[in-house]
Amino acid sequence: MRRALLVATDRYVDPTFSALRSPRRDVAELDRVLRDPAIGGFTTEVLINQSSGHLRERVEVAFGGAGHDDFLLLYLSGHGVKDRFGRLQFVATDTRNERVASSAVAAQFVHDLIDQSRASQVVVWLDCCYGGAFPSGMLPRAAGSVDVVEQLEGRGCVVMTASTHIQYAYEPGGGVANGRPEPSVFTKAIVEGLQTGVADLDGDGEITTGELYSYVYDRVRAENPEQTPTSSGTVSGDLVVAHAGSRLPFGGPDELRRLLRSRDPALREAGVRILAERAGGGDVEAAEALRLVEPGSDVVVKPSRTPPSVKTPGEVVLGGFVRCAELPDGASTVAFSPDSGMFASGEWVWDTRTWQRLHHVEDGAAPVFSPDGRLLAVGRLATVMLLSTSTWAEVARLDCPPEGLDELGFTHDGRSVLWRGGGLWRVWTVLNGSWRHRGYGYNQVCISAGSPQLAKLRTEGVELLDTSDPGVWRTLHTFRVSGARAMALSPDGRLLAISEPEKTTVWRTTDRAALRTLPVGVDAFDAPVFGPDNRTLVVPTRSGLKLYDAVKGTVTQTLPTQLDRVAFSPDGRLVAAGHRHGYFGRAWVWARDPGDLDGLSAGKPPLSSVDQDHEVWVSLRPSVAGVVAAVVGFVATLVVVGWSWLMALLALVVAVGLFVVTRSVVKRAWPS
């Protein structure tokens, strides 16, 4: 049985707590969506402006009467209070500020009921902006924040909250705590995600707790950057919260998905018409969606006339790199500028429009551009030089240890530079206009290009850190992967790929759920790399650079080369690669549109280990066949004519002839 208990409080007896406007409206909208058999299928109970005693009773009845197979959802909207000891209390309509412990509903009370309940599937949604309600002149004992998830999370429970931050808002003489911001962006995002099906991120027709949180997180942060939803859970895997209707492939625009899942027939018909137009124009994913939405559709996908390097809004292009060119004087590390207009490798910087050389850095190594494109960091001997990309003048110089440099990187805001080499990593941060060495470590690290996240390899797994504050990097979570060798963060920071010797697991950083496991690992020196679409993942393997769709877990393309240092242009047109040891003294670039490499010589990159083995076998195959034929012919001749020196000579002549003929025939008939 699926049961939802929806609690909203917007009127309070105690004037300390200001009246709220959105809870009543929010709970009505959420009730409608959850009760809909085509969406939530829940049996709902709505409690509006009830006393704390009645709320405790109804919550206890809901959890106490649940069976093992029941799915329980608890939604709480209203004020929240942190008492003097840092314990979270939910404010009821009769809650008294001076007697919070006896007149409010304690989070610990809810936690205990979750733990004691037989229900194996419990979801809690908490839409509160926790206004502190302490008497004037009294300081709270706890800090200004409380871990809401920690206080609510019980056995077999997934908790999603609008925010974990507690704000104290006092007014002179009154001590009145202000309510949450209007309107409720959090509940609005939940309702929209469930009602339209847009929260079905993988398009499988079901909305899980993990998918819903990812969608809500993005919507809330987009509307109110000061509010950060959080989520955590103690269940294995995701719980299915709602049905999203027809299965749709991942990647379509949200607006189109809303039309296709609208309950208005006219809007849905408009969505199908748009889908048909896209499918007829060559959009393969649109054709797949059309077949799912309209099973009888016989739309033929025509070859697209759009150049391969041009993407229509909302379209996700995976793989499709068709031409390779060689860049002389390249090196192991490759990098593109944020606007994709420049490419750097080794001692040279190129213009990617004309492929003319722009600048030379003598003895340069491991170049990387800053996020705003104004700086180029490049290693040189025992220093890292920061160069202006407008004048190529040296802006700053960072002293480095004598260990060999492997890689440089900027944090997402450009305020910190990371140096990695010799098993160490070091950090420099700019403070008041000057770069200062901040510290070092002994772990491998990787940076998200577009979000304040950094992943660090540790003995117990991979630690995810928030680098928003250059002075204090805060640990967000540790992924317990004992065999981790390397990792990669997507540019938006929502996906983390952790590679082991035999597999690579893609995790969502928002809810720490494992999304896909890819059957490829890396050796001790390689690392996966995400593309600018936040979805393509490149993993270096013996058979080449494998491009995966990290969402679906499928291979979209394999570039047959043993190169292992990879970079995508931010516009997705190009992918470049070099070798970690710089063995070949060159770099190679692939393009979707062959015209993007005009001005460069076509080049064949060094073959992968598997292809090299195959080439050796292909070159030896005719000779091996010839030798086998010669031996067989020699023995057969002696068996037929008998042994003598004269017959042995005849058999030898036959064997040589068979060798020559067989080798020639195999070489012509089986060339590769």
Side-chain angles (χ1 to χ4, degrees):
M1 181 178 180
R2 294 167 66 85
R3 183 175 182 183
L5 181 60
L6 312 179
V7 179
T9 306
D10 57 12
R11 294 291 181 269
Y12 305 92
V13 174
D14 192 328
T16 303
F17 308 108
S18 61
L20 300 173
R21 287 174 292 180
S22 65
R24 189 185 299 261
R25 183 181 68 248
D26 290 343
V27 79
E29 288 294 310
L30 190 59
D31 175 49
R32 179 179 57 80
V33 171
L34 292 178
R35 280 192 296 107
D36 190 329
I39 302 176
F42 284 89
T43 299
T44 62
E45 179 182 357
V46 178
L47 302 175
I48 299 176
N49 292 331
Q50 298 296 314
S51 66
S52 58
H54 186 62
L55 290 181
R56 282 193 291 268
E57 178 185 348
R58 297 313 302 164
V59 173
E60 184 173 9
V61 168
F63 284 100
H68 180 269
D69 295 329
D70 288 349
F71 187 125
L72 292 184
L73 189 154
L74 174 63
Y75 170 81
L76 294 165
S77 176
H79 277 304
V81 171
K82 187 180 71 169
D83 66 17
R84 296 177 58 189
F85 301 99
R87 294 171 302 203
L88 178 62
Q89 309 279 347
F90 301 116
V91 179
T93 191
D94 63 340
T95 298
R96 297 286 183 176
N97 179 43
E98 67 276 10
R99 296 186 180 87
V100 170
S102 61
S103 61
V105 179
Q108 185 62 46
F109 172 77
V110 178
H111 178 282
D112 291 343
L113 290 178
I114 294 173
D115 268 348
Q116 296 165 15
S117 175
R118 291 184 296 167
S120 58
Q121 302 178 85
V122 177
V123 171
V124 178
W125 294 339
L126 183 60
D127 192 356
C128 296
C129 194
Y130 313 103
F134 290 89
S136 300
M138 185 176 186
L139 295 176
R141 292 187 179 182
S145 63
V146 58
D147 193 336
V148 178
V149 169
E150 180 181 291
Q151 293 198 25
L152 277 179
E153 186 179 273
R155 174 188 54 79
C157 177
V158 176
V159 181
M160 181 168 67
T161 73
S163 173
T164 60
H165 189 64
I166 293 191
Q167 300 168 320
Y168 299 98
Y170 298 104
E171 294 183 358
V176 177
N178 292 325
R180 63 181 181 176
E182 292 284 324
S184 171
V185 180
F186 178 73
T187 301
K188 176 185 174 184
I190 293 177
V191 171
E192 183 180 82
L194 297 180
Q195 180 175 303
T196 64
V198 180
D200 177 19
L201 300 183
D202 62 4
D204 65 354
E206 295 181 334
I207 299 175
T208 65
T209 50
E211 289 176 316
L212 182 60
Y213 172 67
S214 295
Y215 174 78
V216 169
Y217 179 92
D218 287 344
R219 288 305 306 270
V220 171
R221 293 285 290 172
E223 291 198 34
N224 182 11
E226 301 302 318
Q227 188 175 346
T228 305
T230 63
S231 176
S232 186
T234 57
V235 295
S236 57
D238 278 341
L239 303 181
V240 177
V241 178
H243 300 287
S246 302
R247 187 185 192 282
L248 293 178
F250 181 89
D254 287 350
E255 294 79 6
L256 180 55
R257 295 162 74 90
R258 290 192 187 97
L259 287 175
L260 293 170
R261 284 172 172 155
S262 173
R263 288 182 291 181
D264 186 326
L267 293 178
R268 186 176 180 279
E269 184 180 343
V272 172
R273 187 167 58 251
I274 295 172
L275 206 58
E277 291 174 358
R278 291 189 170 213
D283 190 327
V284 177
E285 285 206 348
E288 182 185 348
L290 187 62
R291 281 189 285 269
L292 293 168
V293 175
E294 296 287 305
S297 171
D298 57 355
V299 173
V300 177
V301 180
K302 300 176 182 178
S304 174
R305 296 182 181 179
T306 306
S309 60
V310 178
K311 295 200 300 181
T312 57
E315 181 185 359
V316 178
V317 179
L318 304 178
F321 294 98
V322 296
R323 182 185 173 189
C324 181
E326 179 183 313
L327 279 168
D329 303 320
S332 59
T333 306
V334 290
F336 288 94
S337 61
D339 64 357
S340 303
M342 291 184 285
F343 171 75
S345 181
E347 300 181 355
W348 288 97
V349 180
W350 285 267
D351 184 332
T352 61
R353 299 170 184 85
T354 63
W355 292 106
Q356 298 297 311
R357 288 174 170 157
L358 295 177
H359 185 66
H360 178 246
V361 182
E362 188 175 356
D363 296 325
V368 64
F369 291 92
S370 62
D372 59 9
R374 296 181 180 180
L375 297 177
L376 174 70
V378 59
R380 185 181 182 190
L381 302 178
T383 62
V384 171
M385 296 187 300
L386 301 182
L387 307 177
S388 167
T389 55
S390 58
T391 64
W392 301 113
E394 183 178 313
V395 175
R397 185 180 291 251
L398 315 176
D399 292 330
C400 297
E403 295 87 353
L405 171 63
D406 291 330
E407 188 178 5
L408 290 171
F410 281 93
T411 52
H412 79 292
D413 54 9
R415 292 190 291 178
S416 296
V417 172
L418 274 79
W419 174 101
R420 188 172 68 83
L424 291 170
W425 61 269
R426 295 175 181 269
V427 181
W428 286 265
T429 299
V430 61
L431 296 171
N432 300 322
S434 63
W435 290 88
R436 301 179 185 179
H437 183 255
R438 183 182 145 188
Y440 66 93
Y442 295 93
N443 316 92
Q444 184 178 341
V445 295
C446 71
I447 306 170
S448 173
S451 72
Q453 296 192 74
L454 176 145
K456 182 167 61 174
L457 194 62
R458 302 181 65 91
T459 305
E460 63 272 20
V462 175
E463 182 182 9
L464 187 65
L465 297 102
D466 182 352
T467 64
S468 300
D469 184 349
V472 181
W473 287 358
R474 182 171 58 91
T475 298
L476 298 174
H477 184 68
T478 298
F479 295 84
R480 306 287 175 178
V481 183
S482 58
R485 283 187 172 180
M487 60 271 170
L489 277 164
S490 60
D492 62 4
R494 291 178 55 182
L495 295 181
L496 170 66
I498 302 177
S499 291
E500 301 172 62
E502 302 297 331
K503 64 180 180 180
T504 297
T505 305
V506 180
W507 301 79
R508 282 197 301 256
T509 59
T510 50
D511 60 358
R512 294 110 188 193
L515 181 64
R516 288 285 182 267
T517 298
L518 312 179
V520 289
V522 299
D523 66 21
F525 303 101
D526 294 335
V529 176
F530 272 101
D533 57 8
N534 300 297
R535 182 170 172 178
T536 298
L537 180 69
V538 181
V539 183
T541 69
R542 290 190 71 251
S543 59
L545 297 173
K546 286 191 176 294
L547 278 66
Y548 279 90
D549 181 339
V551 175
K552 295 182 178 179
T554 55
V555 177
T556 59
Q557 188 175 2
T558 299
L559 303 178
T561 176
Q562 62 178 292
L563 302 175
D564 50 22
R565 290 293 182 266
V566 183
F568 285 88
S569 62
D571 60 11
R573 295 182 303 116
L574 308 169
V575 61
H579 194 276
R580 62 175 175 264
H581 297 307
Y583 286 153
F584 308 103
R586 295 183 294 279
W588 283 265
V589 182
W590 287 262
R592 291 192 172 99
D593 184 350
D596 287 336
L597 297 181
D598 288 346
L600 290 177
S601 301
K604 185 178 181 181
L607 294 173
S608 66
S609 301
V610 171
D611 288 331
Q612 281 186 333
D613 295 342
H614 178 69
E615 266 204 353
V616 171
W617 163 238
V618 168
S619 64
L620 293 177
R621 188 165 53 201
S623 299
V624 171
V627 169
V628 171
V631 171
V632 172
F634 182 82
V635 174
T637 301
L638 291 180
V639 169
V640 172
V641 301
W643 166 258
S644 72
W645 287 108
L646 183 59
M647 293 301 103
L649 182 59
L650 176 62
L652 183 60
V653 171
V654 171
V656 171
L658 285 172
F659 174 81
V660 173
V661 172
T662 303
R663 186 175 184 277
S664 177
V665 170
V666 170
K667 197 169 185 178
R668 290 172 180 272
W670 200 8
S672 62

